[in-house]
Amino acid sequence: MSTKQANIRITGMMCASCANRIEKGLKKIEGVTEANVNFALEKASVLYDPDKIGIHTLEEKIASLGYGTVKETVELQLVGMTCAACANRIEKGLTKVPGVTKATVNFALETARVEYDPGEANVQDLINKVEQLGYQAKLKGEEKQEDHRQKEFQKQQRMFLFSVILSFPLLWAMVSHLPFTSWIWFPDLFMNSWFQLALATPVQFIIGGHFYVGAFKALRNKSANMDVLVALGTSAAYFYSVYLTFISIGHGAHKMELYYETSAILITLIILGKLFEARAKGRSSEAIKKLMGLQAKTALVIRGGQELNVPIEQVGVGDLLIVKPGEKIPVDGEVVEGASTVDESMLTGESIPVEKRVGDPVIGATINKHGRLVIKATRVGQDTSLAQIIKVVEEAQGSKAPIQRIADQISGVFVPVVVGIAVVAFLVWFLIVDPGQFAKALEKAIAVLVIACPCALGLATPTSIMAGSGRAAELGILFKGGEHLELTQQIDTVVLDKTGTITIGKPQLTDVILAKDVDESNFLAWVGATEKNSEHPLAEAIVEGIQAKGISLPDAEVFEAIPGYGVRAMVQGKEILIGTRKLMAKHQVGIDEILTQMSELETTGKTAMLVAIDKQYAGLLAVADTVKKTSKEAIHRLKELGIEVIMITGDNERTALAIGKEVGVDRVLAEVLPEGKAEEVKKLRQSGKKVAMVGDGINDAPALATADIGMAMGTGTDVAMEAADITLIRGDLNSIADAILMSRKTMRNIKQNLFWAFAYNVIGIPVAALGFLAPWVAGAAMALSSVSVVLNALRLQRVKP
């Protein structure tokens, strides 16, 4: 059994008994051989079997005991990777750094996301490890990724042009010697072995020098990558030709069958393939560029009584900004002066401009349509909504889908296997098929080496994840990671919360029915004072309705929310109860006189709430929440996709059934307490369903976390969005079907990429070994294989909802 030691920083321990509790809990985990928790150092040292568990298992156990772990995440920009084997090597190397709990390297994005304990490691340790492995790394953001890629692309362009100029005479000579092109004229000089040596040498060692460097670094670290294959193949052709050139001295320099053109053209074609690949990979991250392009560059700030135009980076929280008609709103804020309509379509997908008045929130990067606004900045820089969206998309594009494990495992052994096949091919040809013909046997081995393409395998999954998650973001769907993008396509049951999800979530107070001898103004004042302390959307509607009548609200001395029942408060010495029949029954309040009227209101889809003052029934409030215009159509789309749709709500059964019937859901679960929502989701999963929970409120967070996939409406609370795996920015239920379709199309695209990457190598390597491919043809095929994978992934950018 192999063992590994983890040193985990722990927060929240109050005394030595906490340390003992954690220690005992860790020792109960299968795969843990020893655990010691030091209360003074706030650290756990654990010996565990990495084949059975990972460090995340240990962290989850600590979290389940009620304590926290200290870790930070950093993103590094990598330079020098040539194929998926490089990415695997860096990933494995980083996970071996003490204190690193998780490392994910994205070959397509050329990034590494590393999670580590700051007490055990630092960023420089991570950079040093990458450099020790033979690559370069820097903190992402020190140099813009686009600038780095542009410089690298321009360098590759220059190298390619230089390589073409030197290789062209060699190609001309080769083509003119083919049986069907013998009529093509060429200068005799082109066949001179010394002339060919002079042309091929700069290509081999200047243009192709980085292949040798990469191969050396890989072999030094006891691994192999694409550089090893290219260096082996081209070196075999080049040095064999050099050998023939020198033994031809005195025997004529025009008569030898040389392979200088093979090595030079291979290097030229591989560089061309890398150019195409770089260009295509750049296009796969278009979504990030578009989102970044939405940001305003400057802001008009009021400082010291003057209006100053400053860069957006200099805007601080609390600054007052002037936004003129037609301008972008620079940052998230609140309107403090003026009125206008704002186009929020670039973030929410809603084409109709939204009216904004004093007190209303505004989102950075949206467009002020008509009036002049003065806003107070509430969130700037990396805290703005747009910055958070960009961050989520970047994290999703940099994450791995579980399906990528297949390609990772194969790429880890790919190069050694290919080298082995090339050696076998050479021996079979030299000893059996065409005995003694060294040149022909060498040609077959070279073809095997250069047609093998680990790049196609390495790009198959991440490019599709990049393109798919990027396109989803443009449609207002934010996947938090590749694993969620993969799992969503398996969903067969969608559970929808009612309020704020199926309905608008902004209900209105429609009915006030008083008991005998109850004063309306006092009744409404006490009810309003109670409900203004609640975060529930229905409470907000009640307060707005009461205030619209011009009634001022006193402050409540005591307030208590009773989940699933209602609320209780003390106002001006009176005990106020507002809520369901169960709440009244719990406090022994008689309500028989109003039950018939209450049922009639609920049958029409209204939510009725009972009010008791000092344990005596005092009245009834009815609130109506209208169904979103698109809800019925969206639910119909889900059912067409073969998905069962269930509505879950804490509302009473009659109201819930009325709404459910209106929108066409399959099942209605009514009067479910917040903790009950998670339990209902759990039951569905236990029955074998793949469940997506969709909600928007704080009380939906447990259910969102329990579901296979949690989807939060972007119009909801931050807590719900934090607990969810997917955020639907538009707040439109059609986004659910769009998310599932996007997931299905992305997974289909990944499978296509993996199939063609596998098929290409499975077919191409034997064909080359059997002698049916010239090395330069094999090189061209290898160069184009990875390009074809990326181009296939880019089709996802054209997916329409």
Side-chain angles (χ1 to χ4, degrees), residues 35 201 275 278 285 328 342 390 465 516 562 676-677 688 692 771 795:
T201 299
L275 280 174
S285 57
K328 285 183 180 179
V342 175
I390 292 171
I465 293 289
K516 291 180 181 179
I562 309 169
K677 291 182 181 181
R795 294 191 304 116

Side-chain angles (χ1 to χ4, degrees), residues 456-673:
L457 284 173
L459 290 167
T461 301
T463 48
S464 294
I465 293 289
M466 286 168 65
S469 58
R471 177 60 181 145
E474 291 173 6
L475 299 174
I477 303 160
L478 299 183
F479 289 93
K480 288 191 178 178
E483 65 274 21
H484 309 310
L485 186 57
E486 178 174 339
L487 184 56
T488 301
Q489 51 109 20
Q490 300 174 16
I491 294 301
D492 55 28
T493 304
V494 170
V495 179
L496 302 172
D497 178 54
K498 179 181 79 71
T499 307
T501 304
I502 292 177
T503 61
I504 292 174
K506 288 192 176 293
Q508 294 180 325
L509 179 62
T510 57
D511 299 88
V512 178
I513 300 170
L514 302 174
K516 291 180 181 179
D517 302 325
V518 173
D519 179 74
E520 182 176 8
S521 59
N522 285 334
F523 174 85
L524 291 176
W526 293 335
V527 167
T530 301
E531 292 288 15
K532 75 177 180 179
N533 293 285
S534 173
E535 56 85 31
H536 199 285
L538 297 182
E540 186 180 336
I542 292 169
V543 172
E544 286 181 357
I546 292 171
Q547 288 179 329
K549 296 177 182 288
I551 295 173
S552 59
L553 306 181
D555 293 326
E557 293 94 37
V558 176
F559 175 81
E560 178 188 2
I562 309 169
Y565 289 83
V567 294
R568 173 187 171 276
M570 294 296 297
V571 183
Q572 295 179 341
K574 301 285 185 180
E575 182 188 37
I576 312 297
L577 295 171
I578 307 172
T580 63
R581 296 172 177 84
K582 289 188 289 184
L583 180 65
M584 297 299 127
K586 185 178 179 181
H587 290 271
Q588 300 178 338
V589 177
I591 53 173
D592 292 343
E593 64 185 89
I594 196 64
L595 287 180
T596 302
Q597 200 168 359
M598 184 178 183
S599 297
E600 289 174 358
L601 289 169
E602 290 170 344
T603 304
T604 63
K606 294 180 179 180
T607 299
M609 284 165 283
L610 298 159
V611 181
I613 300 174
D614 289 336
K615 299 289 193 302
Q616 295 294 314
Y617 167 71
L620 177 81
L621 303 168
V623 176
D625 183 11
T626 56
V627 172
K628 293 178 182 177
K629 291 179 182 179
T630 56
S631 290
K632 186 174 182 179
E633 172 205 343
I635 290 168
H636 179 68
R637 279 184 66 198
L638 288 171
K639 292 167 80 171
E640 282 186 330
L641 291 173
I643 293 168
E644 181 184 6
V645 184
I646 299 171
M647 185 181 86
I648 192 167
T649 179
D651 283 353
N652 68 80
E653 189 172 3
R654 290 192 180 188
T655 303
L657 287 171
I659 298 293
K661 184 178 179 181
E662 183 181 348
V663 296
V665 297
D666 296 305
R667 287 172 59 193
V668 173
L669 300 173
E671 299 182 30
V672 181
L673 300 177

Side-chain angles (χ1 to χ4, degrees), residues 157-231:
Q157 278 182 317
R158 291 192 296 270
M159 299 289 271
F160 173 69
L161 183 60
F162 185 29
S163 191
V164 166
I165 293 169
L166 293 174
S167 301
F168 181 71
L170 300 173
L171 178 64
W172 187 350
M174 181 192 75
V175 170
S176 63
H177 273 72
L178 296 174
F180 51 89
T181 56
S182 57
W183 51 271
I184 297 177
W185 173 85
F186 65 93
D188 282 348
L189 176 65
F190 286 8
M191 289 304 295
N192 184 286
S193 58
W194 297 101
F195 177 73
Q196 290 192 6
L197 174 62
L199 292 176
T201 299
V203 176
Q204 188 71 33
F205 298 109
I206 298 176
I207 309 299
H210 67 280
F211 294 123
Y212 285 102
V213 173
F216 171 74
K217 289 176 178 176
L219 294 172
R220 184 183 65 186
N221 286 285
K222 299 178 183 178
S223 63
N225 60 5
M226 192 193 79
D227 289 336
V228 173
L229 295 179
V230 176

Side-chain angles (χ1 to χ4, degrees), residues 6 78 82 87 118 120 228 243 250 276 301 321-322 413 417 468 596 659 681 692:
L78 304 175
T82 57
E120 295 287 321
V228 173
Y243 165 74
F276 285 147
V301 183
L321 314 177
I322 296 172
V413 297
V417 169
T596 302
I659 298 293
V681 169

Side-chain angles (χ1 to χ4, degrees), residues 174-338:
M174 181 192 75
V175 170
S176 63
H177 273 72
L178 296 174
F180 51 89
T181 56
S182 57
W183 51 271
I184 297 177
W185 173 85
F186 65 93
D188 282 348
L189 176 65
F190 286 8
M191 289 304 295
N192 184 286
S193 58
W194 297 101
F195 177 73
Q196 290 192 6
L197 174 62
L199 292 176
T201 299
V203 176
Q204 188 71 33
F205 298 109
I206 298 176
I207 309 299
H210 67 280
F211 294 123
Y212 285 102
V213 173
F216 171 74
K217 289 176 178 176
L219 294 172
R220 184 183 65 186
N221 286 285
K222 299 178 183 178
S223 63
N225 60 5
M226 192 193 79
D227 289 336
V228 173
L229 295 179
V230 176
L232 278 175
T234 59
S235 295
Y238 174 80
F239 286 111
Y240 180 59
S241 299
V242 171
Y243 165 74
L244 293 178
T245 298
F246 278 92
I247 66 169
S248 70
I249 297 173
H251 300 283
H254 293 271
K255 304 298 182 184
M256 304 300 294
E257 187 174 342
L258 305 173
Y259 293 90
Y260 288 120
E261 78 284 348
T262 298
S263 63
I265 292 169
L266 281 176
I267 289 171
T268 304
L269 288 172
I270 291 166
I271 292 174
L272 177 62
K274 287 293 181 186
L275 280 174
F276 285 147
E277 184 185 307
R279 181 63 78 191
K281 278 160 67 176
R283 284 175 55 202
S284 64
S285 57
E286 283 293 320
I288 295 290
K289 296 178 199 171
K290 287 180 182 177
L291 287 169
M292 287 181 169
L294 294 175
Q295 293 175 316
K297 303 296 184 290
T298 60
L300 189 60
V301 183
I302 303 174
R303 285 180 183 163
Q306 294 184 324
E307 297 179 7
L308 302 174
N309 214 9
V310 301
I312 192 71
E313 295 79 12
Q314 294 181 16
V315 176
V317 173
D319 278 344
L320 294 179
L321 314 177
I322 296 172
V323 187
K324 298 175 182 177
E327 290 183 344
K328 285 183 180 179
I329 293 172
V331 296
D332 294 359
E334 180 184 311
V335 178
V336 295
E337 183 183 317

Side-chain angles (χ1 to χ4, degrees), residues 724-750:
D725 306 308
I726 302 171
T727 299
L728 309 174
I729 299 176
R730 299 204 308 262
D732 180 348
L733 290 191
N734 274 302
S735 296
I736 304 169
D738 292 342
I740 293 170
L741 283 170
M742 203 69 228
S743 173
R744 289 179 180 180
K745 287 180 181 292
T746 302
M747 289 310 300
R748 190 181 306 132
N749 192 275
I750 288 172

Side-chain angles (χ1 to χ4, degrees), residues 26-80:
L26 290 171
K27 286 178 178 178
K28 289 179 181 177
I29 300 172
E30 185 180 356
V32 171
T33 55
E34 186 58 50
N36 292 294
V37 179
N38 189 311
F39 171 61
L41 295 177
E42 297 183 321
K43 183 191 289 186
S45 291
V46 188
L47 282 176
Y48 66 96
D49 183 352
D51 296 327
K52 289 185 177 180
I53 59 171
I55 197 165
H56 278 284
T57 308
L58 308 177
E59 291 177 337
E60 285 167 7
K61 183 63 178 178
I62 293 168
S64 72
L65 295 170
Y67 304 94
T69 55
V70 178
K71 53 191 175 183
E72 290 183 7
T73 301
V74 68
E75 194 159 5
L76 301 177
Q77 186 68 54
L78 304 175
V79 179

